[in-house]
Amino acid sequence: MKFGMRTPSLKKSLKARTTGKWKRQMKSAVNPFYGKKGAGWAHPKRKLYNKVYNKTTFSFWDLFK
């Protein structure tokens, strides 16, 4: 498990910022579970890993908040 600052990725950061509102609307129209709360319970092991990972790491941009 990683502790501390996550390695910054310019490619992933740009992709996250440019994924538009229409694309999310299309995904939610096709998949009824897209973006809904509680969907992580389908994979409890992954949910637990992600919860710990998000609590123990921080982003480069969090340093400026």
Side-chain angles (χ1 to χ4, degrees):
M1 183 57 65
K2 185 174 178 65
F3 293 95
M5 190 171 84
R6 292 188 292 271
T7 307
S9 172
L10 189 61
K11 184 179 177 182
K12 288 181 183 180
S13 179
L14 184 65
K15 179 69 176 173
R17 288 171 181 261
T18 57
T19 299
K21 178 179 159 184
W22 294 331
K23 187 173 183 179
R24 289 191 303 273
Q25 285 177 342
M26 284 177 46
K27 282 185 174 186
S28 63
V30 173
N31 183 357
F33 298 111
Y34 178 79
K36 298 291 188 261
K37 193 172 179 179
W41 285 106
H43 306 281
K45 211 179 213 182
R46 188 189 314 170
K47 180 183 170 71
L48 181 64
Y49 176 88
N50 288 336
K51 183 149 186 124
V52 172
Y53 179 81
N54 287 326
K55 286 185 178 284
T56 59
T57 61
F58 59 91
S59 170
F60 169 74
W61 299 108
D62 290 340
L63 297 173
F64 300 109
K65 288 185 178 179

